[in-house]
Amino acid sequence: MEQLMESRGTGQDRPETGSTGAVRDSAAYDMGSGEIARARGFVREFLADARSLHGLPVSARAMDVAQLVVSELATNVCKYAPGPCLLDLEADEDLLTITMWDSGSVLPAASQADPRRAGQHGLEIVLMVCRSFEVRREPVGKRVRVQMSLLDDPHGDPAGQVSW
């Protein structure tokens, strides 16, 4: 499907930097399966710009994990709320906030653990790699907001994660 709009901050060629030093960018999609790759690419470009143009620390692992998280969130939109989708990104110091809005009214919920279940582990993965997860109903649809670290600790694990 055709991408509806891609907003680059203030319309310039690079993400917007707010007065707080945060780097922000947004994109809108008519979410079909082909748009998942475009959303991943949007995150990759955003983080590369945040690192090279704004000097934010973005580890290689954070780059990969952010794309995985957006891929899982976008996949859920395709499966349960196909149609318009808004993706907002904000990076500030060592934290990335990913917010995705869609028109679906059903709130996501992680399935019970079942080693025999094939698939449907996307939300479990997101919950495992992110520092926070929040879902809010909107007048139309819902908004999912996650936060993740842009840094790795000395052991290679995402900063802020607790060992089991």
Side-chain angles (χ1 to χ4, degrees), residues 15-95:
E16 175 183 357
T17 302
S19 60
T20 63
V23 180
R24 297 178 185 89
D25 208 350
S26 299
Y29 302 95
D30 187 7
M31 194 54 79
S33 62
E35 296 296 273
I36 297 170
R38 292 177 83 176
R40 277 195 313 267
F42 177 70
V43 172
R44 185 175 48 252
E45 290 174 19
F46 172 82
L47 290 175
D49 286 351
R51 181 173 43 208
S52 65
L53 300 175
H54 301 283
L56 292 177
V58 179
S59 72
R61 181 181 175 128
M63 180 78 77
D64 292 342
V65 170
Q67 291 176 77
L68 173 66
V69 168
V70 166
S71 182
E72 294 298 338
L73 294 176
T75 297
N76 283 344
V77 173
C78 285
K79 287 174 77 172
Y80 304 111
C85 170
L86 301 175
L87 173 59
D88 296 321
L89 303 174
E90 180 177 338
D92 190 6
E93 295 182 22
D94 65 349
L95 193 64

